[in-house]
Amino acid sequence: MAKPSKENTPITEHLAYLLAQANREINRQLELRLSKEGVPVEQWRILKVLSDGNGHSMGELADAVLLNHPTLTKMIDRMVSDTLVYRVQDPNDRRKVLMFISDRGKVLCKKLNSLAVDQEEHILESYGDKSTSELKRLLESLIDSSN
Amino acid sequence: MAKPSKENTPITEHLAYLLAQANREINRQLELRLSKEGVPVEQWRILKVLSDGNGHSMGELADAVLLNHPTLTKMIDRMVSDTLVYRVQDPNDRRKVLMFISDRGKVLCKKLNSLAVDQEEHILESYGDKSTSELKRLLESLIDSSN
DNA sequence: TTGAAAATATTGAATATTCAAGAATTGAAG
DNA sequence: CTTCAATTCTTGAATATTCAATATTTTCAA
């Protein structure tokens, strides 16, 4: 009798794969909506984090928007060119740069938020209220347990 | 009284964000393990899919391993150089290329599988058996409902 | 049968990301 | 104080990904 080994389980049953697949699909849908405003998902995240009006350092921001440090720097360069955000050197620690959202950024962020909400509603409809909140809960707890 | 609008919900409560965050974290952990063999996660996926011994067309494979078509082509080029896989033209439809895993690929795949299983066990320990299977179930159903 | 449209895979140029190194500032130990 | 390590951000080169175009083969309608 063969040892019942986990090594042969199909890839579609691995948690890492299911997460990647679900993320890819949901992200693709969101991307599609946001493309109406010509903005990549990551820029929406940045605007949303900055829309509390406070200054956020690059390091803080990189964590929050799930981007590597150098990637964020270059994306921020573009957003500064588009006058969506601006840099201010942190007076308390001059190694740091504080990012702020501009008025133009705020206007854009509002539009993007409503596109993103559209998507969430669409998911709620096809996937169900209960499943959605349960899934969110489980994801949060997975993230917590991974730190 | 202000309209209770969803537009202001913090990004950390969006399903798309939670999925991205969880995926990033779990993927990072898996990447770390697989790096012991110097293999990116996508190559493990490819080997795993091919390890049924059957030929898989590039299109089929691209879907299965969550890669765009041109990206897959170039990754397969590398894996062919490393003699992990090989191409055969499909005799029944000469537009297609069938991919097969080599013996060397099989040996590597076994090692990678065990590294991946390590990770799943580690998740099971810290996150719990019940949560894990419930999360998998919900992810599968989300993916289903998105098609 | 022929010719146009669809399907499949690859290529090359443009773009984006990453890795490793660098510059500037702060912290802290001696 | 001064110097050396740590922190923060950016840069440049190397690498990887993507988009649009191409080549090949098949399908199917006329």
Side-chain angles (χ1 to χ4, degrees), chain B residues 11-36:
Chain B
I11 195 163
T12 51
E13 287 171 28
H14 281 266
L15 180 56
Y17 180 83
L18 289 169
L19 278 171
Q21 191 181 9
N23 178 52
R24 186 175 159 91
E25 179 58 27
I26 298 300
N27 200 60
R28 207 183 50 75
Q29 287 174 19
L30 180 55
E31 206 167 51
L32 197 65
R33 314 238 173 183
L34 300 190
S35 71
K36 200 188 153 200

Short mmCIF file of all heavy atoms in Angstrom, two decimals, chain B residues 11-36:
data_model
loop_
_atom_site.label_atom_id
_atom_site.label_comp_id
_atom_site.label_asym_id
_atom_site.label_seq_id
_atom_site.Cartn_x
_atom_site.Cartn_y
_atom_site.Cartn_z
N ILE B 11 -8.28 51.05 2.16
CA ILE B 11 -7.89 50.08 1.14
C ILE B 11 -7.74 48.68 1.73
O ILE B 11 -7.97 47.68 1.05
CB ILE B 11 -6.59 50.52 0.43
CG1 ILE B 11 -6.43 49.72 -0.84
CG2 ILE B 11 -5.40 50.41 1.35
CD1 ILE B 11 -5.46 50.31 -1.78
N THR B 12 -7.37 48.63 2.99
CA THR B 12 -7.15 47.34 3.65
C THR B 12 -8.43 46.53 3.82
O THR B 12 -8.37 45.38 4.25
CB THR B 12 -6.53 47.55 5.04
OG1 THR B 12 -7.33 48.51 5.74
CG2 THR B 12 -5.11 48.04 4.92
N GLU B 13 -9.56 47.12 3.49
CA GLU B 13 -10.80 46.36 3.60
C GLU B 13 -11.33 45.90 2.25
O GLU B 13 -12.35 45.22 2.18
CB GLU B 13 -11.87 47.20 4.32
CG GLU B 13 -11.59 47.32 5.81
CD GLU B 13 -12.50 48.32 6.51
OE1 GLU B 13 -13.63 48.52 6.04
OE2 GLU B 13 -12.05 48.90 7.53
N HIS B 14 -10.65 46.28 1.20
CA HIS B 14 -11.07 45.83 -0.13
C HIS B 14 -10.60 44.39 -0.35
O HIS B 14 -9.46 44.06 -0.05
CB HIS B 14 -10.47 46.73 -1.21
CG HIS B 14 -11.20 48.02 -1.38
ND1 HIS B 14 -12.21 48.18 -2.32
CD2 HIS B 14 -11.09 49.21 -0.74
CE1 HIS B 14 -12.66 49.43 -2.25
NE2 HIS B 14 -12.00 50.06 -1.30
N LEU B 15 -11.49 43.60 -0.91
CA LEU B 15 -11.14 42.21 -1.20
C LEU B 15 -9.91 42.13 -2.11
O LEU B 15 -9.00 41.32 -1.87
CB LEU B 15 -12.33 41.49 -1.85
CG LEU B 15 -12.09 40.03 -2.20
CD1 LEU B 15 -11.67 39.23 -0.99
CD2 LEU B 15 -13.34 39.43 -2.83
N ALA B 16 -9.88 42.98 -3.14
CA ALA B 16 -8.76 42.95 -4.07
C ALA B 16 -7.43 43.16 -3.34
O ALA B 16 -6.43 42.52 -3.66
CB ALA B 16 -8.94 44.01 -5.16
N TYR B 17 -7.45 44.06 -2.37
CA TYR B 17 -6.22 44.35 -1.62
C TYR B 17 -5.83 43.19 -0.71
O TYR B 17 -4.66 42.80 -0.66
CB TYR B 17 -6.40 45.62 -0.80
CG TYR B 17 -5.17 46.00 0.00
CD1 TYR B 17 -4.12 46.70 -0.58
CD2 TYR B 17 -5.05 45.63 1.34
CE1 TYR B 17 -2.99 47.02 0.14
CE2 TYR B 17 -3.92 45.96 2.07
CZ TYR B 17 -2.90 46.66 1.46
OH TYR B 17 -1.78 46.97 2.18
N LEU B 18 -6.82 42.66 -0.01
CA LEU B 18 -6.52 41.54 0.90
C LEU B 18 -5.97 40.35 0.12
O LEU B 18 -5.03 39.67 0.58
CB LEU B 18 -7.78 41.14 1.66
CG LEU B 18 -8.24 42.14 2.72
CD1 LEU B 18 -9.63 41.78 3.23
CD2 LEU B 18 -7.25 42.18 3.88
N LEU B 19 -6.52 40.10 -1.04
CA LEU B 19 -6.01 39.01 -1.87
C LEU B 19 -4.57 39.28 -2.29
O LEU B 19 -3.72 38.39 -2.23
CB LEU B 19 -6.88 38.84 -3.11
CG LEU B 19 -8.17 38.04 -2.94
CD1 LEU B 19 -9.03 38.14 -4.19
CD2 LEU B 19 -7.85 36.58 -2.62
N ALA B 20 -4.32 40.50 -2.71
CA ALA B 20 -2.97 40.85 -3.15
C ALA B 20 -1.97 40.71 -2.00
O ALA B 20 -0.87 40.19 -2.19
CB ALA B 20 -2.95 42.27 -3.71
N GLN B 21 -2.39 41.16 -0.85
CA GLN B 21 -1.51 41.12 0.32
C GLN B 21 -1.21 39.67 0.74
O GLN B 21 -0.06 39.29 0.95
CB GLN B 21 -2.18 41.89 1.47
CG GLN B 21 -1.26 42.14 2.65
CD GLN B 21 -1.97 42.89 3.77
OE1 GLN B 21 -3.19 43.08 3.74
NE2 GLN B 21 -1.21 43.32 4.76
N ALA B 22 -2.26 38.88 0.84
CA ALA B 22 -2.08 37.48 1.24
C ALA B 22 -1.25 36.74 0.20
O ALA B 22 -0.31 36.00 0.54
CB ALA B 22 -3.44 36.80 1.40
N ASN B 23 -1.55 36.98 -1.05
CA ASN B 23 -0.79 36.33 -2.12
C ASN B 23 0.68 36.71 -2.06
O ASN B 23 1.55 35.85 -2.15
CB ASN B 23 -1.37 36.72 -3.47
CG ASN B 23 -0.59 36.12 -4.61
OD1 ASN B 23 -0.36 34.92 -4.65
ND2 ASN B 23 -0.15 36.96 -5.54
N ARG B 24 0.93 37.98 -1.87
CA ARG B 24 2.31 38.46 -1.80
C ARG B 24 3.08 37.78 -0.68
O ARG B 24 4.21 37.33 -0.86
CB ARG B 24 2.30 39.98 -1.60
CG ARG B 24 3.66 40.64 -1.65
CD ARG B 24 3.47 42.16 -1.56
NE ARG B 24 4.63 42.87 -1.13
CZ ARG B 24 5.56 43.37 -1.96
NH1 ARG B 24 5.44 43.20 -3.25
NH2 ARG B 24 6.60 44.02 -1.49
N GLU B 25 2.45 37.68 0.46
CA GLU B 25 3.11 37.11 1.63
C GLU B 25 3.37 35.60 1.46
O GLU B 25 4.48 35.12 1.67
CB GLU B 25 2.25 37.37 2.88
CG GLU B 25 2.81 36.80 4.15
CD GLU B 25 4.19 37.31 4.50
OE1 GLU B 25 4.53 38.44 4.09
OE2 GLU B 25 4.96 36.57 5.16
N ILE B 26 2.34 34.89 1.07
CA ILE B 26 2.49 33.44 0.90
C ILE B 26 3.47 33.12 -0.22
O ILE B 26 4.30 32.21 -0.11
CB ILE B 26 1.12 32.78 0.61
CG1 ILE B 26 0.16 32.99 1.78
CG2 ILE B 26 1.28 31.30 0.31
CD1 ILE B 26 0.62 32.42 3.09
N ASN B 27 3.39 33.90 -1.26
CA ASN B 27 4.28 33.69 -2.39
C ASN B 27 5.74 33.95 -2.00
O ASN B 27 6.64 33.22 -2.42
CB ASN B 27 3.87 34.61 -3.54
CG ASN B 27 4.40 34.13 -4.86
OD1 ASN B 27 4.10 33.02 -5.29
ND2 ASN B 27 5.22 34.96 -5.50
N ARG B 28 5.92 34.98 -1.20
CA ARG B 28 7.26 35.31 -0.73
C ARG B 28 7.87 34.15 0.06
O ARG B 28 9.03 33.80 -0.09
CB ARG B 28 7.19 36.56 0.15
CG ARG B 28 8.43 37.43 0.20
CD ARG B 28 8.23 38.59 1.16
NE ARG B 28 7.73 38.18 2.45
CZ ARG B 28 8.46 37.57 3.39
NH1 ARG B 28 9.73 37.30 3.17
NH2 ARG B 28 7.91 37.21 4.53
N GLN B 29 7.04 33.55 0.91
CA GLN B 29 7.50 32.42 1.71
C GLN B 29 7.87 31.22 0.83
O GLN B 29 8.89 30.57 1.04
CB GLN B 29 6.40 32.00 2.69
CG GLN B 29 6.19 32.94 3.86
CD GLN B 29 5.00 32.55 4.71
OE1 GLN B 29 4.54 31.42 4.66
NE2 GLN B 29 4.48 33.50 5.49
N LEU B 30 7.02 30.97 -0.14
CA LEU B 30 7.28 29.84 -1.03
C LEU B 30 8.55 30.06 -1.84
O LEU B 30 9.40 29.17 -1.97
CB LEU B 30 6.07 29.64 -1.96
CG LEU B 30 6.15 28.49 -2.96
CD1 LEU B 30 6.42 27.16 -2.27
CD2 LEU B 30 4.87 28.40 -3.79
N GLU B 31 8.65 31.27 -2.36
CA GLU B 31 9.83 31.70 -3.11
C GLU B 31 11.11 31.43 -2.31
O GLU B 31 12.10 30.93 -2.85
CB GLU B 31 9.69 33.21 -3.31
CG GLU B 31 10.37 33.80 -4.49
CD GLU B 31 9.84 35.21 -4.70
OE1 GLU B 31 9.83 36.02 -3.73
OE2 GLU B 31 9.41 35.53 -5.84
N LEU B 32 11.04 31.77 -1.05
CA LEU B 32 12.18 31.59 -0.16
C LEU B 32 12.60 30.13 -0.09
O LEU B 32 13.78 29.80 -0.19
CB LEU B 32 11.81 32.11 1.23
CG LEU B 32 12.98 32.39 2.17
CD1 LEU B 32 13.82 33.53 1.62
CD2 LEU B 32 12.45 32.75 3.57
N ARG B 33 11.64 29.25 0.05
CA ARG B 33 11.96 27.82 0.11
C ARG B 33 12.51 27.32 -1.22
O ARG B 33 13.53 26.64 -1.26
CB ARG B 33 10.70 27.00 0.41
CG ARG B 33 9.89 27.56 1.53
CD ARG B 33 9.71 26.59 2.64
NE ARG B 33 9.06 27.26 3.76
CZ ARG B 33 8.82 26.71 4.92
NH1 ARG B 33 9.18 25.46 5.12
NH2 ARG B 33 8.24 27.38 5.87
N LEU B 34 11.81 27.67 -2.30
CA LEU B 34 12.23 27.16 -3.61
C LEU B 34 13.59 27.71 -4.02
O LEU B 34 14.28 27.11 -4.84
CB LEU B 34 11.19 27.50 -4.67
CG LEU B 34 9.78 26.93 -4.46
CD1 LEU B 34 8.94 27.14 -5.70
CD2 LEU B 34 9.81 25.46 -4.09
N SER B 35 13.97 28.84 -3.44
CA SER B 35 15.25 29.43 -3.81
C SER B 35 16.41 28.52 -3.38
O SER B 35 17.53 28.68 -3.86
CB SER B 35 15.41 30.81 -3.19
OG SER B 35 15.60 30.70 -1.79
N LYS B 36 16.12 27.59 -2.50
CA LYS B 36 17.13 26.60 -2.12
C LYS B 36 17.59 25.83 -3.36
O LYS B 36 18.74 25.41 -3.44
CB LYS B 36 16.53 25.63 -1.10
CG LYS B 36 17.55 24.87 -0.28
CD LYS B 36 16.88 23.79 0.58
CE LYS B 36 17.85 22.67 0.86
NZ LYS B 36 17.17 21.43 1.26
#
